[in-house]
Amino acid sequence: MKALILNETGQAQELIDDLDIDLPQEHEVLVRTCACGICHSDLHFRQGKWTSFPLPLVLGHECSGVVEKVGSQVRYLQPGDHVVGCLTPFCGECENCLQGRPNICIGGGLQRAEGGRPRLSRKGKPVSQFVNLSGFSEMMLVHERALVKIDRDIPMDVAAIMGCAITTGMGAVFNTAKVRPGETVAVIGCGGIGLSVIQAARITGAGRIIAVDRSPLKAEAAKAYGATDAVIADGNEVAAIVEMTKGGVDHAFEAVGLAATAEAAFNTTKVGGVATIVGLLPQGEKVSVDSTMLTFDRRVQGSSMGSNRFRVDIPRYMKMYESGLLKVDEMISAHIGLSEVDAALVALDHSDGVTRSVAMFS
Ligand SMILES: [Zn+2]
Ligand SMILES: [Zn+2]
């Protein structure tokens, strides 16, 4: 089958038509991919800023599709079901899962045993699966607990975006930071995740919502999603935000994936404020904060995929989409083919105005 394969970091992914996929084992599901969003996290791995998977590797993690075949023990899904994949599968039995935090499941058993038959292979050699999904491929073979069932009338491009950008951004507001009505919010980075943070802040009834981006176009465009103010990240943005809020914001969100923007987010918080780091920083990156600022009850926290419980969250987000509360169609700026994915991924680093490209499979 057709797929995009990463043979070497820093090089273009190769479009191939001979990727082999195994049949589903007990708890696995074979999914025909319909759409896969182009997310910045894929770029980190293509560039080698993250190296946690052996090569060759098939990237792609913001995906939707239709169930083709299910393993003998799968009860939740059947062939024909429409699904969204999520990169945080859960075991349902570990300490974190049982405390309602399946996004940081520590149970394991969701991948195949090492040395056994691989899910993906090419010419008889194993190919790594990216975050249990590998969406840049015509088919995906995943654990059933990496999938959520969705209504069949939801467009597949919208469904795909729910899997990462929406879940990560909205979840950071609702689940991780728990923003309350009236609180002030600053969002650094107005790409797909930043716009999802902004929308969740609007839906939750936040007071002032300040969109920050180095692109004036993107910062201004964020107003259509609920931002009340646009600030250009020109080096003066922290001072500008502290000034306009008379002391800083209740909640700052970092949605770029850089140490400098994480530090800027923390520096915009008021006394007692919280900075939530949503973007994926390069592996091992250090973030430094001023200890004097920290003393005054400020906090900085991570948010893993929006602290999601995706089988609960995504159906709720779908309802918000259907009612018009959550704008998703507007966030999709281009539909592309698999052959255009690599260029679209590389272009993310210097895009201006483009929000989300989605690869569509016919
Ligand atoms: Zn992503
Ligand atoms: Zn678990």
Side-chain angles (χ1 to χ4, degrees), residues 219-238:
E220 201 56 41
K223 288 185 177 171
Y225 296 86
T228 56
D229 301 83
V231 168
I232 300 159
D234 56 2
N236 248 341
E237 63 276 18
V238 171

Side-chain angles (χ1 to χ4, degrees), residues 167-249:
T167 292
T168 303
M170 304 262 288
V173 174
F174 295 140
N175 303 330
T176 316
K178 298 187 171 73
V179 174
R180 285 172 298 183
E183 288 186 322
T184 48
V185 171
V187 183
I188 302 181
C190 298
I193 289 177
L195 293 179
S196 304
V197 170
I198 287 166
Q199 297 207 68
R202 164 178 51 80
I203 291 167
T204 218
R208 216 159 171 184
I209 303 170
I210 304 162
V212 187
D213 203 286
R214 61 183 180 188
S215 151
L217 214 69
K218 282 170 116 170
E220 201 56 41
K223 288 185 177 171
Y225 296 86
T228 56
D229 301 83
V231 168
I232 300 159
D234 56 2
N236 248 341
E237 63 276 18
V238 171
I241 292 166
V242 171
E243 159 89 33
M244 67 200 276
T245 53
K246 298 190 169 51
V249 294

Side-chain angles (χ1 to χ4, degrees), residues 31-32 34-35 61-67 76-77 81-88 90 133 140 142-151 154-167 305 310-311 313-315 317-318:
V31 177
R32 181 166 50 79
C34 292
H61 65 278
E62 191 175 75
C63 44
S64 63
V66 177
V67 173
Y76 172 65
L77 293 165
D81 281 343
H82 289 202
V83 290
V84 171
C86 197
L87 64 87
T88 53
F90 56 94
L133 294 169
M140 299 179 284
V142 302
H143 194 281
E144 60 171 318
R145 293 208 188 110
L147 298 170
V148 53
K149 193 173 6 181
I150 58 165
D151 287 348
I154 299 277
M156 281 302 189
D157 54 348
V158 167
I161 302 296
M162 293 274 180
C164 179
I166 300 283
T167 292
M305 282 293 293
F310 69 86
R311 281 197 186 167
D313 296 345
I314 288 180
Y317 300 154
M318 293 292 185

Side-chain angles (χ1 to χ4, degrees), residues 254 257-267 275 277 279 281-282 284-290 294 300-301:
E254 196 280 348
L258 293 171
T261 39
E263 288 162 8
F266 178 75
N267 292 336
I277 312 306
L281 272 63
E285 192 86 341
K286 301 279 187 292
V287 174
S288 71
V289 296
D290 182 310
L294 201 59
V300 57
Q301 63 183 352

Side-chain angles (χ1 to χ4, degrees), residues 90-94 97 105-107:
F90 56 94
C91 75
E93 293 169 352
C94 75
C97 280
C105 169
I106 48 171

Side-chain angles (χ1 to χ4, degrees), residues 45-182:
F45 287 86
R46 185 197 179 281
Q47 292 170 327
K49 289 184 180 172
W50 274 77
T51 55
S52 18
F53 297 90
L55 299 174
L57 167 71
V58 175
L59 292 168
H61 65 278
E62 191 175 75
C63 44
S64 63
V66 177
V67 173
E68 284 275 320
K69 261 196 181 75
V70 298
S72 61
Q73 299 302 310
V74 174
R75 302 285 174 267
Y76 172 65
L77 293 165
Q78 52 188 27
D81 281 343
H82 289 202
V83 290
V84 171
C86 197
L87 64 87
T88 53
F90 56 94
C91 75
E93 293 169 352
C94 75
E95 189 181 329
N96 288 343
C97 280
L98 292 174
Q99 292 186 94
R101 305 180 73 185
N103 66 307
I104 46 169
C105 169
I106 48 171
L110 302 159
Q111 291 92 18
R112 287 192 175 176
E114 223 164 296
R117 260 180 95 84
R119 285 177 179 162
L120 302 176
S121 60
R122 188 185 185 203
K123 299 187 172 98
K125 295 210 171 85
V127 170
S128 296
Q129 188 177 38
F130 183 50
V131 292
N132 306 297
L133 294 169
S134 286
F136 295 153
S137 168
E138 289 180 312
M139 303 282 272
M140 299 179 284
L141 180 61
V142 302
H143 194 281
E144 60 171 318
R145 293 208 188 110
L147 298 170
V148 53
K149 193 173 6 181
I150 58 165
D151 287 348
R152 293 188 186 199
D153 48 8
I154 299 277
M156 281 302 189
D157 54 348
V158 167
I161 302 296
M162 293 274 180
C164 179
I166 300 283
T167 292
T168 303
M170 304 262 288
V173 174
F174 295 140
N175 303 330
T176 316
K178 298 187 171 73
V179 174
R180 285 172 298 183

